């Protein structure tokens, strides 16, 4: 009998091309061939000499095969919990919540975001991925059967126990723009049931994205990432702040800077207490607004901190970044975890020389004249004229300047932003625009104030100027007056 079985398989394999060409062949059949002619045909799934040929699932469109049952998948939902993303494929139209999904048949895939866009082969998962960090679980549930049949058991398995139910399998999940693509095919054990599915189309996303930024156990979405090319590698900046420019990092609640040399961007874990080079700096601007906190870790300078970082250069301009560090800070009580995958924006601190009024179209600033008045024995006073005209170099030419700033010498070149409120020196700050002067005197009275407040940051060195100014809530315009100038300065004395 054994020889007969082996011969049967040899015939099937040896004449596969002939059987594919035979017009009489049924689409799901196997054949016994002798002397080049088909002598027997057997339906796949039926017994042949006590051997059952597993029927391969054939899928069309968005569909799911469970045993002999084929159902259509009509909608999808993606949500997140902690470090995991949850993908739901439903037989219902237009699902919008997990509760909605759970009323009819559905597939649930739980996975770490690191597995997105990866071709997962069950057999080689341990070799291709990190079993301590990467995770997936799959489940198929029929809620009606579950409620009515005490013997019904959902299909549930994970990356480490799939072999109890299948002889092999594959999984692929990808999200790009508004399109979700899912493919999975689980090869049944002998006498087992088929389990396979595919979906490509729109989906409802409960959260913004699968990337996270966790501080001391509080998980936030990682909304922005930037990359800065530096010597020997790239420095990455990550933040939960919803910002478009790297210049706004200092205004976010939290952000982090991670650097590893190019040679270390292989995706493997870098122990922060090991010998491999890295730099990690965590910035906390919210716990104490008056005293922003900064925690820096690097080789040999970790204190009590433990954990790892990793960077994978994916070769197409995109990167995968993972951070998992605990026991940071002087008291060793802070933790930070983050995950990001994508192409970061360019880290560029250059600001255009322009100003806006209540969010209107920006106006470019093209000329700057600074007049220094030393008549006061206590301090110099700086008057900064900013104009949208080119080539203005005199006070007379600045008679119609767009913006005029007044700054006491105490605040020039101290690299700090100073507000209108505060000491007598702060009271000397002002921003003039549109015939009004915004300062402490005109913004501090709750009844007569023409704005909520304002601030200025001023730098002047070697004929170059760098000025930032903001007026908050200017009542005349219904918004902020905000601007920046960086460039050549004509400096005059009075």
């Amino acid at each position: 009998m054994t020889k007969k079985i082996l011969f049967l398989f040899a015939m099937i394999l040896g004449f596969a091309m002939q059987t594919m060409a035979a017009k009489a062949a049924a689409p799901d059949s196997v054949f016994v061939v002798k002397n080049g002619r088909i002598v027997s045909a057997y339906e796949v799934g039926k017994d042949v000499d006590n051997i059952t040929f597993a029927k391969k699932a054939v899928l069309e469109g968005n569909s799911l095969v469970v045993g002999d049952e084929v159902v259509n998948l009509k909608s999808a939902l993606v949500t997140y919990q902690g470090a995991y993303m949850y993908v739901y494929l439903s037989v219902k139209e237009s699902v919008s919540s997990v509760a909605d999904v759970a009323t009819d048949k559905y597939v649930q895939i739980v996975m770490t975001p690191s597995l997105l866009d990866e071709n997962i082969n069950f057999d080689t998962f341990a070799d291709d991925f990190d079993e301590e960090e990467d995770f997936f679980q799959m489940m198929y549930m029929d809620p009606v059967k579950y409620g009515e049949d005490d013997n019904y058991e959902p299909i549930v398995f994970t990356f480490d126990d799939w072999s109890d139910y299948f002889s092999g399998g594959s999984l692929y999940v990808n999200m790009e723009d508004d399109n979700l693509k899912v493919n999975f095919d689980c090869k049944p054990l002998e006498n087992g049931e088929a389990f396979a599915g595919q979906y490509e189309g729109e989906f409802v996303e409960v959260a913004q994205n699968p990337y996270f930024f966790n501080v001391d156990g509080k998980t936030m979405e990682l909304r922005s990432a930037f990359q800065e090319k530096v010597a020997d590698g790239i420095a990455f900046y990550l933040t939960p702040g919803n910002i478009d420019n790297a210049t706004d990092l200092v205004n976010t609640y939290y952000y982090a800077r991670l650097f590893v040399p190019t040679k270390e961007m292989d995706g493997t874990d870098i122990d922060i207490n090991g010998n491999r080079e890295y730099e990690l700096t965590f910035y906390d601007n919210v716990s104490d607004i008056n005293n922003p906190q900064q925690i820096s870790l690097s080789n040999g300078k970790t204190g009590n901190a433990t954990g790892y970082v990793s960077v994978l250069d994916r070769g197409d301009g995109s990167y995968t970044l993972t951070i998992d560090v605990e026991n940071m800070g002087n008291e060793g009580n802070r933790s930070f975890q983050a995950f990001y995958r994508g192409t970061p924006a360019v880290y560029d601190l250059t600001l255009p020389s322009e100003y806006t009024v209540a969010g209107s179209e920006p106006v470019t600033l093209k000329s700057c004249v600074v007049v220094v008045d030393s008549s006061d024995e206590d301090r110099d006073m700086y008057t900064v004229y900013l104009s949208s005209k080119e080539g203005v170099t005199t006070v007379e030419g600045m008679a119609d300047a767009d913006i005029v700033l007044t700054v006491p010498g105490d605040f020039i070149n101290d690299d700090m932003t100073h507000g209108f409120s505060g000491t007598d020196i702060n009271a000397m700050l002002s921003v003039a625009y549109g015939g009004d002067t915004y300062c402490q005197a005109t913004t501090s009275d709750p009844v007569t104030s023409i704005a909520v407040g304002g601030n200025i940051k001023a730098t002047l060195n070697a004929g170059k100027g760098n000025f930032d100014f903001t007026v908050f809530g200017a009542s005349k315009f219904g918004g902020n007056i905000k601007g920046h100038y960086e460039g050549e300065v004509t400096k005059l004395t009075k």
Side-chain angles (χ1 to χ4, degrees):
M1 178 63 72
T2 301
K3 292 183 178 180
K4 182 178 180 181
I5 293 171
L6 294 175
F7 175 75
L8 173 62
F9 275 112
M11 290 294 100
I12 295 170
L13 296 174
F15 294 95
M17 295 302 295
Q18 294 183 46
T19 60
M20 289 175 63
K23 291 185 178 181
D28 290 321
S29 301
V30 293
F31 307 90
V32 176
V33 181
K34 292 182 179 180
N35 299 321
R37 301 182 62 181
I38 299 173
V39 296
S40 299
Y42 298 88
E43 184 180 348
V44 173
K46 301 295 184 179
D47 289 339
V48 179
D49 289 333
N50 297 319
I51 294 178
T52 299
F53 294 89
K55 187 173 183 178
K56 180 175 177 61
V58 178
L59 301 174
E60 295 183 0
N62 293 338
S63 58
L64 169 70
V65 174
V66 182
D68 295 328
E69 181 182 19
V70 179
V71 297
N72 292 327
L73 297 171
K74 300 177 180 179
S75 61
L77 181 143
V78 177
T79 187
Y80 309 93
Q81 183 174 341
Y84 301 101
M85 64 178 295
Y86 291 69
V87 177
Y88 295 91
L89 307 178
S90 174
V91 301
K92 297 181 63 177
E93 298 273 7
S94 304
V95 293
S96 58
S97 67
V98 176
D100 191 16
V101 170
T103 60
D104 209 332
K105 301 171 184 175
Y106 66 90
V107 174
Q108 179 198 67
I109 303 171
V110 184
M111 62 191 296
T112 48
S114 56
L115 296 179
L116 276 173
D117 200 28
E118 296 285 359
N119 292 301
I120 302 169
N121 187 312
F122 294 1
D123 295 290
T124 61
F125 186 87
D127 297 324
D128 298 337
F129 304 100
D130 184 347
E131 291 187 298
E132 294 185 1
E133 301 297 332
D134 301 312
F135 172 92
F136 78 84
Q137 180 191 71
M138 296 189 66
M139 178 177 74
Y140 169 71
M141 168 67 82
D142 183 336
V144 175
K145 285 186 179 181
Y146 187 76
E148 296 177 352
D149 185 353
D150 292 338
N151 294 320
Y152 174 76
E153 293 184 3
I155 298 173
V156 182
F157 62 93
T158 66
F159 71 96
D160 59 357
D161 68 357
W162 61 267
S163 59
D164 293 340
Y165 310 94
F166 305 102
S167 62
S170 61
L171 170 64
Y172 176 82
V173 180
N174 189 34
M175 295 164 53
E176 186 172 349
D177 297 327
D178 296 325
N179 190 70
L180 172 69
K181 186 174 183 179
V182 179
N183 286 289
F184 62 90
D185 188 358
C186 303
K187 301 175 183 178
L189 295 171
E190 186 175 342
N191 298 319
E193 293 189 335
F195 181 50
Q198 63 184 26
Y199 180 90
E200 183 169 7
E202 295 181 348
F203 65 99
V204 172
E205 187 174 15
V206 176
Q208 292 289 329
N209 60 56
Y211 310 125
F212 63 87
F213 193 102
N214 184 300
V215 179
D216 301 334
K218 179 183 178 181
T219 300
M220 296 158 280
E221 294 177 22
L222 196 160
R223 292 185 174 93
S224 303
F226 304 90
Q227 58 176 313
E228 177 189 21
K229 291 185 178 180
V230 297
D232 301 326
I234 295 177
F236 299 93
Y237 296 80
L238 310 174
T239 179
N242 189 19
I243 60 175
D244 296 320
N245 299 305
T247 53
D248 290 323
L249 282 167
V250 295
N251 299 320
T252 61
Y253 284 175
Y254 305 101
Y255 72 98
R257 177 186 185 273
L258 172 64
F259 164 79
V260 300
T262 301
K263 64 181 180 180
E264 299 291 1
M265 293 185 183
D266 59 2
T268 59
D269 294 348
I270 300 175
D271 186 339
I272 65 170
N273 291 302
N275 296 321
R276 297 170 64 186
E277 185 180 353
Y278 76 96
E279 295 173 7
L280 174 64
T281 307
F282 171 75
Y283 298 86
D284 179 350
N285 297 320
V286 68
S287 296
D288 187 342
I289 296 176
N290 295 318
N291 297 287
Q293 300 177 30
Q294 176 179 324
I295 302 173
S296 297
L297 307 175
S298 60
N299 299 93
K301 299 178 181 179
T302 57
N304 295 318
T306 59
Y308 72 93
V309 300
S310 71
V311 177
L312 173 63
D313 183 347
R314 303 183 64 82
D316 58 359
S318 68
Y319 301 85
T320 300
L321 314 177
T322 306
I323 302 170
D324 188 353
V325 180
E326 297 182 343
N327 308 318
M328 297 190 307
N330 294 332
E331 298 180 8
N333 61 347
R334 310 219 56 184
S335 64
F336 171 48
Q337 292 82 35
F339 174 78
Y340 171 81
R341 178 174 175 175
T343 303
V346 176
Y347 179 84
D348 184 1
L349 299 182
T350 302
L351 287 175
S353 293
E354 62 187 25
Y355 71 94
T356 58
V357 179
S360 62
E361 286 296 315
V363 177
T364 301
L365 294 170
K366 301 177 181 179
S367 300
C368 177
V369 173
V370 176
V371 178
V372 183
D373 184 351
S374 302
S375 60
D376 189 326
E377 294 182 358
D378 293 328
R379 63 181 51 83
D380 292 339
M381 290 298 299
Y382 289 71
T383 303
V384 181
Y385 297 91
L386 301 171
S387 176
S388 56
K389 297 179 180 180
E390 289 186 2
V392 182
T393 60
T394 65
V395 175
E396 291 75 18
M398 284 291 183
D400 60 351
D402 295 61
I403 303 288
V404 181
L405 311 178
T406 304
V407 186
D410 310 61
F411 296 159
I412 297 292
N413 295 335
D414 68 352
D415 199 33
M416 295 180 64
T417 300
H418 297 277
F420 294 166
S421 62
T423 67
D424 292 341
I425 301 177
N426 293 84
M428 298 177 183
L429 288 165
S430 69
V431 177
Y433 173 77
D436 291 313
T437 299
Y438 299 90
C439 59
Q440 186 179 118
T442 60
T443 62
S444 59
D445 190 297
V447 178
T448 62
S449 292
I450 62 175
V452 177
N455 58 45
I456 298 174
K457 181 180 178 180
T459 301
L460 183 62
N461 282 311
K464 302 285 187 180
N466 194 324
F467 305 100
D468 293 287
F469 57 92
T470 305
V471 174
F472 298 103
S475 56
K476 180 188 290 187
F477 306 104
N480 298 340
I481 303 169
K482 183 179 179 68
H484 171 80
Y485 177 84
E486 185 172 357
E488 298 290 334
V489 170
T490 299
K491 185 178 178 182
L492 306 174
T493 58
K494 182 177 180 180

